Amino acid sequence: MRDLPPSRRPLPTAEGIERAARAIDPVFTGSPAHDSAELAKALGVRRAVVKDETGNPIRSFKGRGADWFMAHLPADDTEPLVTASVGNFGQGMAYAARRRGRALTVFAAENASPVKVAAMRRLGAEVRLGGRDFDEARARAIAHARAGGGRLVTDGDEPRIAEGAGTIAWELTRQVADPLEVLLVPLGNGALAGGVGTWIKHAWPGTRVIAVAAEGAPAMARSWHEHALITTPTADTIADGIAVRVPIPYALQVMRRCVDDVVVVPDEAIVAAMRLLHRTLGLVTEPAGAAGAAAVLADPAAFAGLSVGTVACGANLTDDRLRRWLPQAARCGG
């Protein structure tokens, strides 16, 4: 099949990522990179590095892109903002909007995580629940914006959001002396994969960037492989942060320039990876945050003996899910 038609909007750049790294609210930057021999041994790789995005005020990487996007809006622009979110991007937007005195409405699915919904509201967002999943919530957000409700902001569909996410890689290349052979990046709407990939191909051109989607939510993976927009009827995975049914064309275009492969992983491997990250590093991650490590567990032969990195991109779990998937962490209070 032919590639998707090119977007008329600018693509994220290494220069933009470097500017973002020096300008984003510092509460979201400077996250640690854990270089763990114990994790490497458990995964069967030569080296394992985890960039930990779970320690900031919203416990995910999404604040980086949201803050960089908001920094480019005119200071005298008071139009309300509208977005859809599973929860983490909504938190990032709410944090950045509150900092600048901007009104924000977030559309989320009826079954959205109550922890994430409560956090968005606590940060000042108006949250409207409706639809059976994220993509139905996104359709409601689009309709609301078109009806005059405000400017629509779509995660994965804005170059500044990708550049903000790319600052994770900018930091990683300064924290790790030697280039890694493989970097595994969770794949939802594609901002993280596109931003991280853009910087890695600039700074470490020999590093393979592999995006990791959930097996039960393969729309972005299939679209990338088939060079077409492939929508799926369901997104059936525990990894709500990467549960996408309707792919983002712009994100796929960005990924085409900087991602070497896209793989999918089953939920069983994701849970095993969550437990492994907690046992070896003490990290509590939500399922999407463990997708990169899950890719190694799901196909150990593909990574055996390599130096591998990944991003623990979020840690917003309900108490019920924490007890179910990380009982040791629940007993220790997280």
Side-chain angles (χ1 to χ4, degrees):
M1 292 184 179
R2 294 185 299 108
D3 274 320
L4 298 168
S7 169
R8 294 181 180 179
R9 282 171 301 138
L11 300 177
T13 66
E15 293 76 17
I17 290 169
E18 189 155 18
R19 288 195 301 271
R22 304 182 192 282
I24 289 172
D25 188 331
V27 299
F28 296 118
T29 59
S31 60
H34 305 294
D35 193 339
S36 172
E38 184 180 3
L39 178 60
K41 182 178 180 180
L43 291 174
V45 299
R46 179 167 56 84
R47 187 181 190 187
V49 177
V50 178
K51 184 70 165 150
D52 177 11
E53 292 293 302
T54 67
N56 62 61
I58 65 170
R59 305 192 74 192
S60 90
F61 79 97
K62 296 289 190 178
R64 294 177 183 256
D67 193 73
W68 186 234
F69 170 81
M70 292 285 287
H72 287 81
L73 297 181
D76 60 352
D77 182 357
T78 60
E79 183 181 15
L81 301 172
V82 180
T83 193
S85 177
V86 171
N88 287 348
F89 181 67
Q91 287 184 68
M93 285 293 295
Y95 192 102
R98 183 177 68 175
R99 182 183 174 202
R100 294 167 174 85
R102 297 292 295 265
L104 172 71
T105 301
V106 181
F107 286 80
E110 293 171 354
N111 62 350
S113 163
V115 167
K116 295 178 180 180
V117 171
M120 289 187 286
R121 287 175 170 155
R122 188 167 59 249
L123 289 167
E126 177 188 352
V127 181
R128 301 189 184 185
L129 302 179
R132 64 189 173 97
D133 59 17
F134 163 73
D135 287 294
E136 288 193 358
R138 179 151 65 96
R140 295 176 69 242
I142 293 170
H144 179 73
R146 287 176 176 170
R151 173 175 176 169
L152 181 69
V153 184
T154 301
D155 189 16
D157 202 32
E158 297 281 351
R160 304 299 185 189
I161 293 173
E163 288 177 346
T167 62
I168 295 170
W170 182 90
E171 293 175 6
L172 182 65
T173 58
R174 282 152 178 76
Q175 293 167 314
V176 176
D178 300 317
L180 299 169
E181 292 170 279
V182 178
L183 189 59
L184 295 153
V185 187
L187 175 60
N189 274 336
L192 182 61
V196 166
T198 295
W199 181 261
I200 290 298
K201 291 306 179 183
H202 168 76
W204 287 349
T207 298
R208 283 177 55 78
V209 177
I210 300 177
V212 184
E215 190 175 77
M220 287 289 283
R222 289 186 58 194
S223 297
W224 188 87
H225 282 290
E226 298 182 34
H227 293 229
L229 295 180
I230 308 296
T231 298
T232 58
T234 61
D236 184 12
T237 174
I238 62 171
D240 63 335
I242 54 175
V244 173
R245 285 191 300 106
V246 181
I248 303 291
Y250 175 80
L252 290 164
Q253 181 186 349
V254 175
M255 288 170 57
R256 184 68 56 196
R257 300 163 62 236
C258 61
V259 171
D260 297 289
D261 197 6
V262 180
V263 300
V264 297
V265 294
D267 284 354
E268 295 80 4
I270 290 174
V271 173
M274 292 169 65
R275 292 171 176 167
L276 180 60
L277 290 172
H278 184 261
R279 176 170 64 81
T280 57
L281 295 174
L283 292 183
V284 172
T285 62
E286 60 186 90
V296 183
L297 293 177
D299 189 7
F303 304 98
L306 300 179
S307 60
V308 176
T310 190
V311 182
C313 61
N316 288 298
L317 286 167
T318 63
D319 288 341
D320 176 65
R321 289 186 163 198
L322 185 65
R323 288 190 296 267
R324 187 188 321 163
W325 297 324
L326 293 173
Q328 185 61 39
R331 286 193 294 269
C332 296

